[in-house]
Amino acid sequence: MILVTTAGKVGAETARLLAGQREPVRILVRDPVKAEPLAQAGAEVVVGDLGVPATVDAAMKGVSAVVLVSPAIPAEELNVIAGAVRAGVGHVVKITSKSSIDSPIARRRDQAEIENGLIAGGLGYTLLKNNAYMQNFLMSAPAIAGTSSFGSAAGDGRIGMIDTRDVAAVAAAIASSPADHVGKTYWPTGPESLSYPDAAAVFSTVLGRPITFHPLTYSEQKQAMVEAGVPEHIAEMNTQAITLFAEGDSDWVTGDVPSILGRPARTFAQFVHDNAAAFSASRR
Ligand SMILES: NC(=O)c1ccc[n+]([C@@H]2O[C@H](COP(=O)([O-])OP(=O)(O)OC[C@H]3O[C@@H](n4cnc5c(N)ncnc54)[C@H](OP(=O)(O)O)[C@@H]3O)[C@@H](O)[C@H]2O)c1
C-alpha cells in the first residue's frame, strides 16, 4: 500500500496514476467530499490532518511507501516522517524544491529542515527537488482570460518549469518501485527553460490570440497574489522566489523526468493546450 499525504495538484494526480495502475493507494484528505473523484478512480480515501499524529498513524497501517507532499510546514511533515518510522515504512518520496537551511526564503529553509529530518529518520528516501510548477500560471488564468495579459516580477529570467502531472508521474514510479532510487536526489524539470515573455509567446500561439507580458515590481507582484486569495506570508515567500527567477535562480533543466519515466517531460505548450479553457474562460 502506498500512502499519498495530500490531495492537491501533485498528490491527487499521484493517487490517480497509482490507482490506474492497480497499485493499492491510500490518500489522506481533510475533506472527503473533494476527494470523491479519487475514490471513484480506485484510491482509498482516509480523513485526517497532517497536524494530528493519531490520524497520520491510522493512515500508515500496512503502508510500504509514502509520497510526502504538502504545503511543507515542518511540524506537519515531521509528524508524517515520525509516523512512517513508527509504522516501519520502507520508503518515502519527498516532494521538495531547491532548499537550504540559510536560504532567504522561509519555505526553502522549511524544506531543508524536513529533508534533514527525513534523512536522520533512517528510512529509505528519495528527494524530488522540483523546479517551479507550470501550474503556477493558473493563478494568472483570470487575467489572461479577461485581459489577454499577465504580469510578473520574474523579468526576463528563464525557468525550467515542470508540469505537476510529471512530478506526480515521477513520484508514482518511484513509490511503486523504489529499489533503484534509494538515497537519491533528483532535480525534475520540464524540457526547456522559458522566460515569462517566452511563455507569453507560447500562450499566443496555442490560444490563437495575442497574450502580452508586463513586468511587475516586488510590491505589485505580492499585492496581486494577496488579491488572488494567497495568504500574506505565502505571498511574501512566493514573491521572493519569483524575484530570484529574475536573477536566473531557476534557469536549469535536467533529464531526470525522461530518464525515470522513459518518455519526454511535458512541454509548456502542452500545459497551455490542456488548460486552454481556464485561460479563455471569458470567451466561451
Ligand atoms: N509551486 C511550485 O512552483 C513548486 C515548485 C517546487 C516544489 N513545490 C512544492 O510542492 C509542494 C506543494 O504541492 P502541491 O502544489 O501539490 O500542493 P497544493 O496543490 O497547494 O495542495 C496542497 C494540499 O495539501 C492539503 N493540506 C494542507 N494542509 C494539510 C493538512 N494539515 N493535512 C492534510 N492535508 C493538508 C490541502 O488540502 P485542503 O484542500 O484541505 O486545503 C491541499 O489538498 C510543496 O512542498 C512545495 O514546496 C512547489
Side-chain angles (χ1 to χ4, degrees), residues 4 6-18 27 38 43 69 168:
V4 181
T6 59
K9 294 182 289 298
V10 172
E13 177 69 1
T14 305
R16 201 186 60 73
L17 288 172
L18 289 168
I27 187 155
L38 292 173
V69 55

Side-chain angles (χ1 to χ4, degrees), residues 6 8-10 30 34 49-50 70 76 96 111 133 136:
T6 59
K9 294 182 289 298
V10 172
R30 295 193 285 202
K34 285 195 215 165
D49 189 311
L50 303 182
S70 83
E76 294 186 354
T96 180
Q111 292 284 28
Y133 295 163
N136 295 340

Side-chain angles (χ1 to χ4, degrees), residues 23 61 77 80 94 110 137 233 237:
E23 279 281 351
K61 293 211 172 72
E77 291 210 4
V80 175
K94 158 75 180 132
D110 290 348
F137 276 92
H233 69 286
M237 290 192 281

Side-chain angles (χ1 to χ4, degrees), residues 182-197:
V182 178
K184 293 198 175 156
T185 296
Y186 297 107
W187 296 84
T189 70
E192 58 199 336
S193 198
L194 297 175
S195 67
Y196 276 51

Side-chain angles (χ1 to χ4, degrees), residues 12 15-22 25 35-44:
R16 201 186 60 73
L17 288 172
L18 289 168
Q21 293 156 14
R22 302 272 178 270
V25 56
E36 268 166 21
L38 292 173
Q40 279 164 18
E44 181 188 327

